[in-house]
Amino acid sequence: MTIDLDAFLSTGARGMRRSLIRELLKLTSRSGIISFAGGFPDPATFPVVELQEVTRDVLADQAHRALQYGITEGDPRLRDELVRWLGRDGIAVTRDQILVTNGSQQGLDILGKVFLDPGDVIIVELPSYLAALQVFRTYGAEMLGVPQDDEGMQTDRLADLLADLAAQGRRAKFIYVVPDFQNPSGVTWTEERRRHLLDLARRHNTLVVEDNPYRSVRFAGTAPPPVYALDRDGRTIYLSTFSKTLCPGLRIGWMVAAEEIIAQFVTAKQGMDLCSPSFTQAIAAELLHRDLLAPRLPGIAEVYRRKCDTMLRALQREMPAGVTWTRPEGGLFLWVRLPESMDTEALLREAVEREGVAYVIGTGFHADGGGRHAMRLNFSFPSEEEIEEGIRRLARLVKRHLPLSTPSTATRTQVSD
Ligand SMILES: Cc1ncc(COP(=O)(O)O)c(C=O)c1O
């Protein structure tokens, strides 16, 4: 290329960093590599037969509607089904409080477009979802992080941060949280932390963004209520998706909020794509209408419970003292911490090229540049045999680089420091 592309790019685009995960996925497509790096669901969970049947019927009975442009808000029939779907989790809303999006990822971009000016402060967890950080960075947000432990964000530290901001005459636009089986850590917030978050948000008059793609993939323990369901004053915006329960290929996600907020989101989405695909929305609506999704959830959770257990047992068996990890009750990921002096980025090339195993480095998930000694492991996509072998390879790498003296009493609770 002969042009100087940089001279043409917007400030936001110049600040964009290529997705670490996508870069890695390219590296790991070579045969023989066991990848714990992606975030793909297990394709065995896709309802292929049900989708064949429903797609055929949608084309036979609703083609005039399903192949036409739709309204930006989303297929009214799908939104009515989503009202019922959300009711299962104690989220009581009307159709007009829902906007259908192209996956919940589009919802994150809409948030940036609607709420963020360059220099605006937002608060995120340490660690937090990499692709959300990328979006918010593109809109020029200043991201301040609050560490997690095994009960969720440390909300007493959030209280300190909000007080510091207030003392400087500043306010966070929103607090972004993934409270159920977080990507990347697998941690679930306790109900107490959820209530404390809302209490602080109310006191400091900020919004809460609850990104919740994994909630229906619970394989152990009991579910605390969604933050949205605990919120009494309409300051929470809820995002979810069918990517992990139905399939990501349909690209069906949704945002839930007060009607005035949704109206603002609709205007932002109009400029992006006019509407989400009518066809996939009609298929999802029909699938829900025939109640073909909910009965599948226990089976999907069981697949991931087995895979997660296999990974936990392999870690226990293979990893040396000084390595710790989280124990998720659902979702697709767990979080491994090596001794502090180790650097997962420095080890990655050797992991892939010598051992044939891949992971995502911890720094990608840290708004403050931390997480050098941490890594995210995905257990949903590899087979159980690959999980066993992959952890064996990873442990071999770690042992080769282990510092001579490592504490054997390291705690397993702290996710980030
Ligand atoms: C926390 C979180 N938010 C949003 C998304 C985006 O999901 P999708 O756009 O497929 O709905 C993901 C996907 O992995 C995620 O982990």
Side-chain angles (χ1 to χ4, degrees):
M1 194 167 66
T2 53
I3 63 157
D4 170 17
L5 181 59
D6 249 19
F8 293 89
L9 293 178
S10 68
T11 315
R14 244 177 280 137
M16 273 182 208
R17 292 205 211 144
R18 299 190 67 151
S19 162
L20 288 168
I21 295 182
R22 262 193 304 278
E23 292 299 305
L24 261 171
L25 283 180
K26 268 192 251 158
L27 200 65
T28 58
S29 58
R30 281 185 256 151
S31 76
I33 305 244
I34 296 174
S35 179
F36 298 135
F40 286 15
D42 186 333
T45 65
F46 298 159
V48 178
V49 174
E50 290 87 341
L51 280 170
Q52 276 172 339
E53 195 181 303
V54 165
T55 305
R56 193 194 53 224
D57 292 352
V58 163
L59 284 173
D61 307 333
Q62 314 173 29
H64 63 288
R65 211 173 60 84
L67 300 180
Q68 188 55 277
Y69 285 114
I71 57 174
T72 309
E73 289 83 346
D75 181 348
R77 215 166 149 244
L78 175 59
R79 283 184 292 141
D80 284 343
E81 291 297 337
L82 287 173
V83 167
R84 287 203 304 138
W85 187 257
L86 288 159
R88 296 160 61 253
D89 277 326
I91 295 180
V93 287
T94 65
R95 178 208 278 184
D96 296 328
Q97 287 176 265
I98 299 174
L99 168 65
V100 178
T101 54
N102 280 299
S104 44
Q105 192 63 37
Q106 186 184 39
L108 294 169
D109 200 45
I110 289 174
L111 286 172
K113 202 170 176 184
V114 168
F115 290 124
L116 296 178
D117 285 317
D120 277 350
V121 173
I122 61 168
I123 297 175
V124 299
E125 294 169 88
L126 292 174
S128 185
Y129 171 48
L130 188 150
L133 300 183
Q134 278 175 332
V135 169
F136 301 148
R137 197 174 283 129
T138 303
Y139 284 98
E142 181 184 342
M143 292 184 281
L144 302 178
V146 178
Q148 275 181 352
D149 58 23
D150 63 356
E151 296 183 3
M153 181 188 270
Q154 296 178 22
T155 44
D156 49 347
R157 295 177 70 163
L158 172 65
D160 293 343
L161 176 58
L162 288 166
D164 281 352
L165 284 171
Q168 298 163 29
R170 304 177 82 192
R171 182 175 65 172
K173 279 272 175 88
F174 58 77
I175 305 166
Y176 170 73
V177 299
V178 183
D180 289 294
F181 327 122
Q182 195 220 27
N183 178 0
S185 69
V187 163
T188 296
W189 290 41
T190 59
E191 179 170 344
E192 196 185 340
R193 294 275 175 94
R194 293 170 198 237
R195 289 187 185 278
H196 195 196
L197 165 75
L198 282 170
D199 186 41
L200 290 167
R202 192 177 312 116
R203 258 192 274 155
H204 290 271
N205 193 19
T206 182
L207 300 173
V208 173
V209 175
E210 176 180 24
D211 185 6
N212 210 328
Y214 303 103
R215 188 168 172 86
S216 300
V217 190
R218 172 175 282 280
F219 46 73
T222 47
V227 175
Y228 191 95
L230 297 171
D231 180 6
R232 293 284 158 260
D233 51 4
R235 67 178 63 251
T236 304
I237 296 152
Y238 185 85
L239 275 66
S240 194
T241 176
F242 284 139
S243 286
K244 319 297 172 180
T245 45
L246 208 171
C247 59
L250 285 185
R251 307 305 299 134
I252 304 271
W254 56 91
M255 305 176 88
V256 179
E259 272 185 50
E260 309 87 283
I261 300 180
I262 289 293
Q264 205 67 53
F265 291 163
V266 170
T267 311
K269 181 175 156 77
Q270 238 152 23
M272 292 173 166
D273 59 7
L274 301 180
C275 63
S276 288
S278 308
F279 191 34
T280 54
Q281 291 187 76
I283 292 167
E286 194 56 38
L287 211 77
L288 291 176
H289 183 68
R290 296 184 191 182
D291 199 21
L292 292 174
L293 187 51
R296 296 179 56 82
L297 296 179
I300 295 171
E302 178 55 19
V303 170
Y304 294 147
R305 185 194 62 75
R306 269 208 322 272
K307 289 188 165 191
C308 182
D309 272 3
T310 302
M311 187 171 273
L312 289 171
R313 272 188 275 108
L315 285 166
Q316 190 70 49
R317 195 172 52 240
E318 305 289 344
M319 283 295 177
V323 178
T324 63
W325 51 88
T326 55
R327 298 179 167 274
E329 295 187 331
L332 273 53
F333 306 102
L334 58 79
W335 185 248
V336 174
R337 294 174 81 230
L338 307 183
E340 300 260 344
S341 60
M342 295 183 78
D343 180 342
T344 53
E345 186 168 358
L347 294 179
L348 184 59
R349 184 164 294 280
E350 188 177 327
V352 174
E353 291 180 351
R354 180 163 169 191
E355 295 293 351
V357 64
Y359 53 81
V360 187
I361 59 174
T363 46
F365 303 98
H366 280 72
D368 67 350
R372 293 206 82 77
H373 56 299
M375 63 174 82
R376 186 192 75 177
L377 300 184
N378 166 265
F379 53 76
S380 59
F381 189 70
S383 68
E384 288 180 64
E385 295 70 34
E386 286 171 328
I387 291 174
E388 303 261 9
E389 175 58 24
I391 296 296
R392 222 177 345 259
R393 295 179 187 183
L394 205 51
R396 201 158 52 209
L397 172 85
V398 172
K399 283 176 194 156
R400 201 155 51 233
H401 291 271
L402 203 64
L404 287 177
S405 67
T406 46
S408 57
T409 52
T411 168
R412 243 163 228 176
T413 58
Q414 180 85 358
V415 175
S416 172
D417 45 18

